[in-house]
Amino acid sequence: MSIIEEIYHGQYQPQAGRPNYPRNLQAEDIAFWDKVTEVMGGDFVDAHLYRLSKKADLTDLYHFREGFKLGVRLMLEAVAPK
């Protein structure tokens, strides 16, 4: 099946995943959020992380759209008569 058919049929699976962060950075994040949870409470942290997640989703969508537009422009230039 071509990539166009995969996209059309909703079967396309992106090849790129999320970046892998160094373990020490992950450990620092966990320690930080444990302290924030201790001081502010779990509900506060959950609400804050939910908002961060929503912002990340919008950022991902923006980057996807920009990448898609770039790909279309490249294809149009590649097939345009010279």
Side-chain angles (χ1 to χ4, degrees), residues 3 6-7 12-13 17 19 30 32 35 55 57 59 61 67-68 70 75:
I3 191 166
E6 288 177 10
I7 292 170
Y12 174 72
Q13 295 295 318
I30 290 169
F32 171 80
K35 287 180 184 177
K55 286 181 179 180
D57 288 346
T59 300
L61 177 60
F68 190 86
L70 174 61
M75 292 305 299

Side-chain angles (χ1 to χ4, degrees), residues 15-21 53 56-57 59-60:
Q15 301 301 311
R18 294 277 184 195
N20 290 323
Y21 297 106
S53 174
D57 288 346
T59 300
D60 290 348

Side-chain angles (χ1 to χ4, degrees), residues 39-58:
V39 172
M40 301 297 290
D43 289 340
F44 174 85
V45 171
D46 288 346
H48 180 66
L49 292 176
Y50 177 78
R51 287 178 180 84
L52 287 178
S53 174
K54 287 297 196 184
K55 286 181 179 180
D57 288 346
L58 291 172

